[in-house]
Amino acid sequence: MMFAHGFGCDQNMWRDVAVDFAGDHRIILFDHVGAGRSDISAYDSAKYSDLAGYADDVVEIGEALGLKDAIFVGHSVSAMIGALATLKAPGLFSQLVMVGPSPRYIDDGDYVGGFSAVQIDEMLEFLADNHLGWSAAMAPAIMGNADRPELGEALNNSFCATDPDIAREFARVTFFSDNRADMPRVAVPTLVLQCREDIIAPPCVGEWVHAQIPGSKYVLLEATGHCPNLSAPKEVTAAIRAFV
């Protein structure tokens, strides 16, 4: 099982979920370039100008480890990165788990992504002007669970540990991405895990993804916020186990 983290996070975000699968699966954790303890010198703005560059890394890791018919679990933007990886390297992954996925964050006609283009521009300007201030303001809102402030603090610490220049570019790539056309092409069994009260990927987005991926399974978790891998790891684990 390969677990991939979302924007502003690192592999540590999966610590309470991955451990429950370690007894019966080979677990693979990694940091996207610019996050966690990754080699920042490997970052290339051109390569990572869209999500395909990140999907290439996933394929490269899988091939280097000799994976075949593995399970990919991706949170947030990594749900789309995982989908692209299944298309790039058929046979590498046999199942896909998407946690809080969004193929497009910006509203477009009848499609509701949750944000206007103006809102995304303002958010990215705030991030560019004040990385630490953006992290402190956004982390609690993204995490939700206001009654458990330690969760927002953990996410804030993760945001703050991310290289600010790379974070700025990754945020732009993430929030301006549009992978809607790729969803009907996903050919592996897929589980869509959706949280309630998620300001980044609201339920209507998860439902849209489910409707577009042939034969996919959709589970609306009791968990709230955008990071159930931190806020409700046991529920996430149970849902994944029921699927795999």
Side-chain angles (χ1 to χ4, degrees), residues 5-13 29-41 54 131 157-164 166-167 170:
H5 65 82
F7 167 77
C9 301
D10 62 18
Q11 62 181 267
N12 194 47
M13 295 293 117
L29 297 166
F30 70 98
D31 296 326
H32 288 300
V33 176
R37 292 182 292 176
S38 64
D39 180 4
I40 295 178
S41 67
Y54 292 94
H131 179 80
N157 291 338
S158 180
F159 284 167
C160 293
T162 304
D163 180 272
I166 295 176
F170 192 15

Side-chain angles (χ1 to χ4, degrees), residues 77-128:
V77 65
S78 276
M80 291 301 117
I81 292 171
L84 294 177
T86 68
L87 297 175
K88 286 176 173 286
L92 190 62
F93 298 104
S94 62
Q95 292 177 294
L96 174 64
V97 179
M98 297 176 148
V99 183
S102 179
R104 179 178 169 89
Y105 295 87
I106 299 174
D107 300 337
D108 183 21
D110 293 335
Y111 173 82
V112 177
F115 296 91
S116 68
V118 171
Q119 288 174 315
I120 293 297
D121 281 332
E122 291 175 346
M123 181 172 63
L124 294 178
E125 287 177 9
F126 183 16
L127 175 61

Side-chain angles (χ1 to χ4, degrees), residues 22-239:
D24 49 9
H25 290 80
R26 178 187 183 191
I27 302 302
I28 300 161
L29 297 166
F30 70 98
D31 296 326
H32 288 300
V33 176
R37 292 182 292 176
S38 64
D39 180 4
I40 295 178
S41 67
Y43 186 78
D44 182 321
S45 291
K47 174 181 178 179
Y48 299 110
S49 62
D50 61 42
L51 297 184
Y54 292 94
D56 286 340
D57 284 352
V58 168
V59 172
E60 183 178 348
I61 292 170
E63 292 179 342
L65 295 176
L67 301 187
K68 182 179 180 181
D69 294 333
I71 302 166
F72 184 94
V73 185
H75 173 233
S76 196
V77 65
S78 276
M80 291 301 117
I81 292 171
L84 294 177
T86 68
L87 297 175
K88 286 176 173 286
L92 190 62
F93 298 104
S94 62
Q95 292 177 294
L96 174 64
V97 179
M98 297 176 148
V99 183
S102 179
R104 179 178 169 89
Y105 295 87
I106 299 174
D107 300 337
D108 183 21
D110 293 335
Y111 173 82
V112 177
F115 296 91
S116 68
V118 171
Q119 288 174 315
I120 293 297
D121 281 332
E122 291 175 346
M123 181 172 63
L124 294 178
E125 287 177 9
F126 183 16
L127 175 61
D129 291 341
N130 187 349
H131 179 80
L132 296 181
W134 182 91
S135 299
M138 291 298 295
I142 293 172
M143 177 60 69
N145 297 274
D147 59 326
R148 300 160 68 191
E150 68 277 8
L151 294 175
E153 183 177 349
L155 187 60
N156 179 39
N157 291 338
S158 180
F159 284 167
C160 293
T162 304
D163 180 272
D165 293 330
I166 295 176
R168 183 167 57 250
E169 293 190 12
F170 192 15
R172 180 165 293 279
V173 169
T174 295
F175 289 108
F176 280 105
S177 62
D178 187 351
N179 295 102
R180 289 177 294 176
D182 297 311
M183 296 300 93
R185 299 171 55 220
V186 175
V188 299
T190 300
L191 171 64
V192 177
L193 294 183
Q194 175 66 48
C195 288
R196 303 168 192 269
E197 300 174 28
D198 185 343
I199 68 167
I200 299 297
C204 61
V205 177
E207 293 167 2
W208 190 94
V209 172
H210 165 53
Q212 294 297 310
I213 298 180
S216 63
K217 180 180 179 181
Y218 174 83
V219 175
L220 179 61
L221 302 171
E222 291 298 325
T224 58
H226 189 57
C227 302
N229 41 347
L230 283 185
S231 64
K234 290 187 181 302
E235 187 181 13
V236 171
T237 297

